[in-house]
Amino acid sequence: MALLPILKFPDPRLHKVAQAVATVDDRVRRLVDDMLQTMYDAEGVGLAATQVDVHERIIVMDTSDTRDQPVVLINPELVQRSEAMSFRDEGCLSVPATYDKVARHEQVTVRALDRSGQPFDMQCEGLAAVCVQHEMDHLIGRVFVEYLSPLKRDRIRSKMLKRAREEQRA
Ligand code: GNR
Ligand code: NI
């Protein structure tokens, strides 16, 4: 297993659209394992392949308190969304130290392939529902800051570019 570097906003590669996985083979399983290790190491609740510069429809998540319930979603599709929406604070490993409220469907059902290539449905609510929608946005090149006002987004962009410059000098 390996830790993968996570792209940081405003990297243009975060806006690429991921392609469906054709076959769930050992290559995909190795990537999934590396993504899980990267997610746990970064203390995230989810990670989309886009964030590690792999533009395939793969998500890993773990919204358990005990951090021992990994979920793998390959070629995920939302098959149900509640009409009810709610605003919750979101953060993103690609936008460190930035949190703001985003409107999401309260409940969603996601259909995906697991790591053995078997299809399954998962009903989500609470943090898991927020996380699934956040990760599926990554797969279509969308970062949560795009839901914020242009003013906030530009402030975040400037803050991130400043941090990147400082890290380069350090
Ligand atoms: O770790 C994460 N926490 C989080 C909190 C609220 C809403 C969404 C998330 S996802 C984020 C990890 C990440 O960036 N996934 O793409
Ligand atoms: Ni994210």
Side-chain angles (χ1 to χ4, degrees), residues 5-69:
I6 299 175
L7 300 178
K8 299 294 179 342
F9 181 82
D11 192 307
R13 292 171 289 181
L14 285 169
H15 304 302
K16 289 196 188 184
V17 177
Q19 301 297 305
V21 171
T23 322
V24 182
D25 53 14
D26 286 346
R27 178 193 68 89
V28 170
R29 279 185 281 274
R30 268 196 300 274
L31 173 61
V32 160
D33 288 340
D34 290 347
M35 286 174 61
L36 281 166
Q37 197 194 358
T38 302
M39 177 189 77
Y40 285 122
D41 180 76
E43 296 182 8
V45 297
L47 186 71
T50 306
Q51 292 176 278
V52 294
D53 201 23
V54 174
H55 302 282
E56 300 180 52
R57 293 184 62 81
I58 304 171
I59 290 168
V60 296
M61 10 185 305
D62 188 340
T63 55
S64 70
D65 290 333
T66 43
R67 314 287 294 146
D68 59 356
Q69 308 282 321

Side-chain angles (χ1 to χ4, degrees), residues 6 39 42-48 51 59-60 62 67 88-95 99-100 104 127 130-132 134-136 138 144:
I6 299 175
M39 177 189 77
E43 296 182 8
V45 297
L47 186 71
Q51 292 176 278
I59 290 168
V60 296
D62 188 340
R67 314 287 294 146
R88 287 191 56 163
D89 253 323
E90 293 194 22
C92 182
L93 294 173
S94 295
V95 197
Y99 304 87
D100 214 325
R104 300 288 189 184
L127 178 59
V130 173
C131 188
V132 163
H134 174 112
E135 305 310 338
M136 290 192 58
H138 276 303
F144 85 98

Side-chain angles (χ1 to χ4, degrees), residues 107-160:
Q107 284 113 11
V108 295
T109 304
V110 62
R111 179 168 296 165
L113 305 178
D114 66 18
R115 59 179 299 134
S116 65
Q118 286 302 306
F120 70 106
D121 284 7
M122 182 171 68
Q123 283 181 304
C124 305
E125 57 179 29
L127 178 59
V130 173
C131 188
V132 163
Q133 292 169 82
H134 174 112
E135 305 310 338
M136 290 192 58
D137 271 351
H138 276 303
L139 298 181
I140 56 169
R142 189 175 294 159
V143 180
F144 85 98
V145 299
E146 293 171 53
Y147 292 108
L148 308 179
S149 69
L151 178 64
K152 278 190 180 175
R153 192 167 55 244
D154 285 347
R155 283 190 181 143
I156 293 165
R157 185 189 304 271
S158 304
K159 181 175 78 173
M160 291 291 298

